Amino acid sequence: MTTAEQQPVQLSESVELEIGGMTCASCAMRIEKKLNKLDGVSASVNYATEKARVSAPQGFDVAALIAEVEKTGYTAAVPVKSAKAAVRGGAAEGESGQDAELRGLRQRLIGSIVLSVPVILLAMIPALQFTYWQWASLVLAAPVVVWAAWPFHKAAWVNLRHGAATMDTLISIGTLSALLWSVYALFLGTAGEPGMTHAFELTVGPSDGAANIYLEVAAGVTMFVLAGRYFEKRSKRQAGAAMRALLELGAKEVSVLRGGVESKIAIEDLAVGDEFVVRPGEKIASDGVIVDGSSAIDASMLTGESVPVEVAPGDSVVGATVNAGGRLVIRATRIGADTQLAQMAKLVEDAQSGKAEVQRLADRVSGIFVPIVIGIAVATLGAWLGAGYPAAAAFTAAVAVLIIACPCALGLATPTALLVGTGRGAQLGILIKGPEVLESTRTVDTIVLDKTGTVTTGKMTLLAVTVADGTNEEELLRLAGAVEDASEHPIAQAIAAGATQRAGGLPAVESFANIEGKGVQGVVDGHLVLVGRDSLLAEWAIPLGAELADAKAAAEQRGQTAVVVAWDGAARGVLVVADAVKPTSAEAIAEFTRLGLTPILLTGDNDTVARQIAAVVGIERVIAEVLPQGKVDVIAQLQAEGRVVAMVGDGVNDAAALAQADLGLAMGTGTDAAIEAADLTLVRGDLRSAADAIRLSRRTLGTIKVNLFWAFAYNVAAIPLAALGLLNPMLAGAAMAFSSVFVVGNSLRLRSFRSRAN
C-alpha cells in the first residue's frame, strides 16, 4: 500500500506499524534511525516481529511515518486489525502477506536445491567431471543466481539507491561476483576448454584465475542462504504461535438476550450491559457477571489451572473460558480491547516488541557491521593482490569474507528468545510486560509476599471443627450449615460452604432470624439451632463448657474467628473460620528458596496471625501490622540494605509497593491497579506460578546470552579465517545460514519449559 492509499490517522500516543522488506537486523536499524530523526518521534523497530512501535506528539499524522519508511526502501502499514478482530481471533491481513513470502521462499529454495546440488557435486567430486561439465554447471547455476537469489539482488539494489548496505548487499555482491568471474573464465579464460577439471578444496590457494570457476560457490551460497532465510522465517512464525493461539481462544459468536428473545450475533456486536446465554461446553463470549444459573468454569486454556471453578449468580467470569456445567446467563461488563483476553494479548505483544539493553547493543553493532565487512573484503582483496597472489585467490578470499558475515544472527539473538519466552509464558498464565523485566529477575535476591490473596486464599474458610461429647460432627455441620446458609454474612457463607463440602447437602431451615451483632438462629429438623457468639448462648442460659471454651480461646489466640453452635439447650461445638493458606503456598516458598531468594511476609494483619501463617508455609521473616503506605517504605528500606527486591501482591494497597520493587509480580486474581503497577502478571492465583515466572524469565535471559555469545563469537572467529583464505566461500555460506538457524532453534527450545504449578 502506498502512502497515497493510506487513510489519515492521527497519533495520540503510539502506533504500531507492520514493516515489509526487512531481511536482516541492519534493515531494522536503518528504519529506526530514519524514524527517530523526525521531530518528537521515538521509534523501536523489531526485526523478529517485523513491527515498529512509534511514539509521536498528539496530532502527528501516521502517513508521514509511513512515507519516511518508504523513503528508506521498505514498506509500512497500520496493522489491519482492531480490538474486535483480536477478540474474534481474526488474524491481520498482514499474515496472508507473510504466508505468501514463506511460499515464495519455499519455491525458490526447492528450485535452488534441485539445480545447485548437481553443480556442487560436480565441483566437489573430480570423478564426476565429464567433458564440458563446466558448461553444464553454468546452465544449472545461472537460474539459481539470477532467479532464486532475486530477492537478495532486489533488496541490495533498493538499499544501494538509498545509500545503504545490508546483509543482502553482501550476499548479492558475493554470488554475482562468483557467477561473473566464472563466466569470464569460461568465455575469455581457459576454464571453458574441453577436459578441464579442478579438485575441491576447503581453503583458498594460489592458482591461475582464468582457469577457475566458482559456480558451486554462487549456487551453493544462494541455496544455503535461502535455506537459512526460509527456516528462519518459518521458525519466527512458529515462535509467534502462542500469540496467535491466545487470540484464537475467543468466541466468534454469542447468544444474546434482548427483549426476552435469544438470538445469535457476531462477538463484535456485543455491547456492555447485554445479557447472553452460555450453554454447557460453550465458551464464555466476554468478561461479565453471572445473572442466572450456576456451573463450573474451566479456565485451563487461559490460566493453566486444571481444576474447574464453581460459580453462581453474582460471580465474575472471564471471556474465552468454558462453561463445564449448567446453563448460564451472563451480563457483559467488558468487551473488545477491555477484556482480560485482549489485555493479555496486548501485554504479550508489547513485551515481544520491546528491547532489552543487550538487544540495543546488538542493534548498534549490526547497524555498522555491513559497511565494515565490505571494507574488510576490499582490504582482503587488496592485501592478497599486493602480496603477489593470483587474482583468483584474492577474489575467492574476498568473497568468503562477504559471505561469512552474518549480522542476522546478532539481530535475531534477543527478539526470537523473547518472542518464544513470552509466548510460552502466556500459555502458562505468566504475562511479561517487557524485555527489561528479564534483566531484573537475574539479580533479585529477596521476594516480599503480601499475605491476603497471595499466600492465603483471601476468603474466609472453615478450618476446624470441635464437637462436644456425645455430638456427631456431621450432624453439627448439617444443622449449623443449614442456618448459616440463610445468612449473607461472609463468615456464615464460609461455614455453609465448608459444611456442604464436608457433610453433603444441607436441610431446609425454618423460622430463621438474624440477631444483630450476636449470630443467627433457626429451626432445622425440629431443633432450634443457635450459631454465633457465646453471648447468644448466654441469652438462652446455655453454658459453653470447658472443652469448647478452651477450643474457642485457642482459635482466637491464633487470630482466627470462633463460632459456637448450640441446640436443644446445650452447646454442641465450635467452628473455626479464617483466611486459609493456599494449599500450594508452602511448596512455592520452598521453590523460592531453591532459586536463591529470601522470602519475607509483609502484611497489615496483626503479628500473631501473620506469624501463624508464616510458620505454616515456612517463611522465617515477618513484617506485620504495616499500613498500605508503609509497604512502600518497607520495600525502600530493604533496597537501602542492598537487596534487590521482588514483590508479589494482588490488592489496591499493594500497587505502590509493586511499583517500588525492583520486580513487581501481580496475581491476576487481584485488582487492576495492582496488575497495572506490576512487571509480571500471574493469571492464576497459585503462588507457585510466581516461581515459574522467575524461572522462565531467567531461562529466557540465559537463552538470549547464549545466542549473543555464539553470534558474536561466530563473526569474530569466522571473518579472519575467511580473510586469511582458510575458508571456502561455499562453506562460508553454509556456516552463515547455520548461524541464524542455530539462534532461532536455540530460542525455540524455550517452548519445552514446563510449569511446576500443575
Side-chain angles (χ1 to χ4, degrees), residues 532-556:
R533 300 178 183 271
D534 47 7
S535 59
L536 177 62
L537 272 64
E539 286 188 359
W540 291 80
I542 299 175
L544 187 56
E547 182 182 359
L548 296 182
D550 289 344
K552 179 176 180 294
E556 291 174 342

mmCIF file of all heavy atoms in Angstrom, residues 532-556:
data_model
loop_
_atom_site.group_PDB
_atom_site.id
_atom_site.type_symbol
_atom_site.label_atom_id
_atom_site.label_comp_id
_atom_site.label_asym_id
_atom_site.label_seq_id
_atom_site.Cartn_x
_atom_site.Cartn_y
_atom_site.Cartn_z
ATOM 1 N N GLY A 532 -23.378 -18.542 66.619
ATOM 2 C CA GLY A 532 -22.868 -17.179 66.740
ATOM 3 C C GLY A 532 -21.897 -17.033 67.893
ATOM 4 O O GLY A 532 -21.129 -17.941 68.212
ATOM 5 N N ARG A 533 -21.939 -15.867 68.536
ATOM 6 C CA ARG A 533 -21.055 -15.590 69.661
ATOM 7 C C ARG A 533 -21.543 -16.329 70.909
ATOM 8 O O ARG A 533 -22.714 -16.730 70.988
ATOM 9 C CB ARG A 533 -21.010 -14.086 69.935
ATOM 10 C CG ARG A 533 -20.494 -13.241 68.775
ATOM 11 C CD ARG A 533 -20.538 -11.773 69.145
ATOM 12 N NE ARG A 533 -20.129 -10.921 68.038
ATOM 13 C CZ ARG A 533 -18.865 -10.562 67.801
ATOM 14 N NH1 ARG A 533 -17.899 -10.984 68.600
ATOM 15 N NH2 ARG A 533 -18.576 -9.778 66.774
ATOM 16 N N ASP A 534 -20.678 -16.430 71.901
ATOM 17 C CA ASP A 534 -21.100 -17.065 73.154
ATOM 18 C C ASP A 534 -22.133 -16.206 73.880
ATOM 19 O O ASP A 534 -22.905 -16.693 74.710
ATOM 20 C CB ASP A 534 -19.907 -17.367 74.059
ATOM 21 C CG ASP A 534 -18.950 -16.196 74.190
ATOM 22 O OD1 ASP A 534 -19.274 -15.099 73.684
ATOM 23 O OD2 ASP A 534 -17.880 -16.381 74.796
ATOM 24 N N SER A 535 -22.175 -14.889 73.545
ATOM 25 C CA SER A 535 -23.191 -14.030 74.154
ATOM 26 C C SER A 535 -24.593 -14.439 73.708
ATOM 27 O O SER A 535 -25.573 -14.241 74.441
ATOM 28 C CB SER A 535 -22.937 -12.563 73.782
ATOM 29 O OG SER A 535 -22.956 -12.385 72.375
ATOM 30 N N LEU A 536 -24.724 -15.015 72.493
ATOM 31 C CA LEU A 536 -26.020 -15.507 72.030
ATOM 32 C C LEU A 536 -26.474 -16.693 72.883
ATOM 33 O O LEU A 536 -27.650 -16.795 73.275
ATOM 34 C CB LEU A 536 -25.937 -15.907 70.550
ATOM 35 C CG LEU A 536 -27.209 -16.504 69.932
ATOM 36 C CD1 LEU A 536 -28.354 -15.503 69.973
ATOM 37 C CD2 LEU A 536 -26.947 -16.939 68.493
ATOM 38 N N LEU A 537 -25.522 -17.567 73.212
ATOM 39 C CA LEU A 537 -25.861 -18.708 74.071
ATOM 40 C C LEU A 537 -26.216 -18.235 75.471
ATOM 41 O O LEU A 537 -27.100 -18.804 76.140
ATOM 42 C CB LEU A 537 -24.684 -19.694 74.136
ATOM 43 C CG LEU A 537 -24.638 -20.780 73.042
ATOM 44 C CD1 LEU A 537 -24.449 -20.147 71.669
ATOM 45 C CD2 LEU A 537 -23.531 -21.798 73.331
ATOM 46 N N ALA A 538 -25.543 -17.159 75.935
ATOM 47 C CA ALA A 538 -25.806 -16.649 77.285
ATOM 48 C C ALA A 538 -27.238 -16.147 77.401
ATOM 49 O O ALA A 538 -27.861 -16.268 78.466
ATOM 50 C CB ALA A 538 -24.815 -15.534 77.612
ATOM 51 N N GLU A 539 -27.777 -15.582 76.308
ATOM 52 C CA GLU A 539 -29.166 -15.117 76.333
ATOM 53 C C GLU A 539 -30.144 -16.270 76.591
ATOM 54 O O GLU A 539 -31.224 -16.083 77.143
ATOM 55 C CB GLU A 539 -29.518 -14.427 75.011
ATOM 56 C CG GLU A 539 -28.911 -13.045 74.851
ATOM 57 C CD GLU A 539 -29.456 -12.340 73.629
ATOM 58 O OE1 GLU A 539 -30.283 -12.951 72.911
ATOM 59 O OE2 GLU A 539 -29.072 -11.179 73.389
ATOM 60 N N TRP A 540 -29.748 -17.449 76.161
ATOM 61 C CA TRP A 540 -30.586 -18.640 76.346
ATOM 62 C C TRP A 540 -30.139 -19.462 77.555
ATOM 63 O O TRP A 540 -30.604 -20.599 77.754
ATOM 64 C CB TRP A 540 -30.542 -19.526 75.091
ATOM 65 C CG TRP A 540 -31.232 -18.907 73.902
ATOM 66 C CD1 TRP A 540 -30.744 -17.956 73.069
ATOM 67 C CD2 TRP A 540 -32.547 -19.213 73.444
ATOM 68 N NE1 TRP A 540 -31.653 -17.627 72.109
ATOM 69 C CE2 TRP A 540 -32.795 -18.401 72.301
ATOM 70 C CE3 TRP A 540 -33.560 -20.082 73.883
ATOM 71 C CZ2 TRP A 540 -33.988 -18.431 71.600
ATOM 72 C CZ3 TRP A 540 -34.753 -20.121 73.164
ATOM 73 C CH2 TRP A 540 -34.975 -19.298 72.036
ATOM 74 N N ALA A 541 -29.203 -18.876 78.327
ATOM 75 C CA ALA A 541 -28.694 -19.543 79.542
ATOM 76 C C ALA A 541 -28.085 -20.900 79.223
ATOM 77 O O ALA A 541 -28.245 -21.878 79.966
ATOM 78 C CB ALA A 541 -29.809 -19.680 80.582
ATOM 79 N N ILE A 542 -27.338 -20.940 78.145
ATOM 80 C CA ILE A 542 -26.672 -22.195 77.758
ATOM 81 C C ILE A 542 -25.181 -22.049 78.039
ATOM 82 O O ILE A 542 -24.506 -21.194 77.450
ATOM 83 C CB ILE A 542 -26.901 -22.491 76.268
ATOM 84 C CG1 ILE A 542 -28.393 -22.662 75.973
ATOM 85 C CG2 ILE A 542 -26.144 -23.753 75.846
ATOM 86 C CD1 ILE A 542 -28.710 -22.829 74.503
ATOM 87 N N PRO A 543 -24.620 -22.833 78.941
ATOM 88 C CA PRO A 543 -23.180 -22.756 79.235
ATOM 89 C C PRO A 543 -22.356 -23.347 78.082
ATOM 90 O O PRO A 543 -22.798 -24.274 77.396
ATOM 91 C CB PRO A 543 -23.038 -23.586 80.505
ATOM 92 C CG PRO A 543 -24.171 -24.557 80.445
ATOM 93 C CD PRO A 543 -25.304 -23.848 79.770
ATOM 94 N N LEU A 544 -21.152 -22.806 77.882
ATOM 95 C CA LEU A 544 -20.308 -23.261 76.775
ATOM 96 C C LEU A 544 -19.574 -24.558 77.112
ATOM 97 O O LEU A 544 -19.362 -25.406 76.249
ATOM 98 C CB LEU A 544 -19.300 -22.158 76.407
ATOM 99 C CG LEU A 544 -18.451 -22.384 75.155
ATOM 100 C CD1 LEU A 544 -19.333 -22.627 73.942
ATOM 101 C CD2 LEU A 544 -17.549 -21.184 74.904
ATOM 102 N N GLY A 545 -19.156 -24.715 78.329
ATOM 103 C CA GLY A 545 -18.403 -25.908 78.701
ATOM 104 C C GLY A 545 -16.916 -25.664 78.569
ATOM 105 O O GLY A 545 -16.462 -24.917 77.691
ATOM 106 N N ALA A 546 -16.134 -26.296 79.435
ATOM 107 C CA ALA A 546 -14.690 -26.050 79.495
ATOM 108 C C ALA A 546 -13.974 -26.439 78.204
ATOM 109 O O ALA A 546 -13.118 -25.695 77.689
ATOM 110 C CB ALA A 546 -14.094 -26.803 80.684
ATOM 111 N N GLU A 547 -14.296 -27.600 77.651
ATOM 112 C CA GLU A 547 -13.593 -28.084 76.453
ATOM 113 C C GLU A 547 -13.814 -27.154 75.265
ATOM 114 O O GLU A 547 -12.870 -26.776 74.563
ATOM 115 C CB GLU A 547 -14.074 -29.497 76.109
ATOM 116 C CG GLU A 547 -13.349 -30.087 74.899
ATOM 117 C CD GLU A 547 -13.879 -31.471 74.537
ATOM 118 O OE1 GLU A 547 -14.787 -31.972 75.233
ATOM 119 O OE2 GLU A 547 -13.392 -32.039 73.545
ATOM 120 N N LEU A 548 -15.073 -26.758 75.048
ATOM 121 C CA LEU A 548 -15.373 -25.871 73.930
ATOM 122 C C LEU A 548 -14.827 -24.463 74.163
ATOM 123 O O LEU A 548 -14.376 -23.797 73.223
ATOM 124 C CB LEU A 548 -16.887 -25.813 73.702
ATOM 125 C CG LEU A 548 -17.565 -27.137 73.286
ATOM 126 C CD1 LEU A 548 -19.051 -26.925 73.057
ATOM 127 C CD2 LEU A 548 -16.904 -27.707 72.043
ATOM 128 N N ALA A 549 -14.843 -24.021 75.430
ATOM 129 C CA ALA A 549 -14.292 -22.696 75.752
ATOM 130 C C ALA A 549 -12.797 -22.650 75.465
ATOM 131 O O ALA A 549 -12.277 -21.645 74.948
ATOM 132 C CB ALA A 549 -14.572 -22.358 77.214
ATOM 133 N N ASP A 550 -12.086 -23.733 75.797
ATOM 134 C CA ASP A 550 -10.644 -23.801 75.521
ATOM 135 C C ASP A 550 -10.370 -23.771 74.009
ATOM 136 O O ASP A 550 -9.434 -23.111 73.547
ATOM 137 C CB ASP A 550 -10.049 -25.067 76.127
ATOM 138 C CG ASP A 550 -9.998 -25.013 77.653
ATOM 139 O OD1 ASP A 550 -10.130 -23.892 78.202
ATOM 140 O OD2 ASP A 550 -9.842 -26.080 78.280
ATOM 141 N N ALA A 551 -11.177 -24.510 73.242
ATOM 142 C CA ALA A 551 -11.001 -24.537 71.785
ATOM 143 C C ALA A 551 -11.236 -23.152 71.187
ATOM 144 O O ALA A 551 -10.512 -22.709 70.286
ATOM 145 C CB ALA A 551 -11.956 -25.555 71.167
ATOM 146 N N LYS A 552 -12.261 -22.473 71.718
ATOM 147 C CA LYS A 552 -12.568 -21.133 71.231
ATOM 148 C C LYS A 552 -11.436 -20.158 71.566
ATOM 149 O O LYS A 552 -10.995 -19.365 70.721
ATOM 150 C CB LYS A 552 -13.873 -20.657 71.854
ATOM 151 C CG LYS A 552 -14.304 -19.244 71.451
ATOM 152 C CD LYS A 552 -15.663 -18.925 72.049
ATOM 153 C CE LYS A 552 -16.108 -17.507 71.666
ATOM 154 N NZ LYS A 552 -15.255 -16.468 72.261
ATOM 155 N N ALA A 553 -10.926 -20.217 72.780
ATOM 156 C CA ALA A 553 -9.846 -19.317 73.201
ATOM 157 C C ALA A 553 -8.573 -19.564 72.398
ATOM 158 O O ALA A 553 -7.873 -18.616 72.001
ATOM 159 C CB ALA A 553 -9.585 -19.495 74.696
ATOM 160 N N ALA A 554 -8.260 -20.831 72.134
ATOM 161 C CA ALA A 554 -7.054 -21.166 71.371
ATOM 162 C C ALA A 554 -7.141 -20.614 69.948
ATOM 163 O O ALA A 554 -6.162 -20.085 69.405
ATOM 164 C CB ALA A 554 -6.859 -22.678 71.339
ATOM 165 N N ALA A 555 -8.322 -20.736 69.343
ATOM 166 C CA ALA A 555 -8.502 -20.221 67.979
ATOM 167 C C ALA A 555 -8.344 -18.705 67.942
ATOM 168 O O ALA A 555 -7.681 -18.153 67.052
ATOM 169 C CB ALA A 555 -9.869 -20.628 67.446
ATOM 170 N N GLU A 556 -8.939 -18.024 68.914
ATOM 171 C CA GLU A 556 -8.861 -16.569 68.940
ATOM 172 C C GLU A 556 -7.446 -16.092 69.212
ATOM 173 O O GLU A 556 -7.032 -15.041 68.727
ATOM 174 C CB GLU A 556 -9.839 -16.022 69.976
ATOM 175 C CG GLU A 556 -11.302 -16.209 69.566
ATOM 176 C CD GLU A 556 -12.286 -15.812 70.649
ATOM 177 O OE1 GLU A 556 -11.849 -15.717 71.823
ATOM 178 O OE2 GLU A 556 -13.477 -15.602 70.332
#
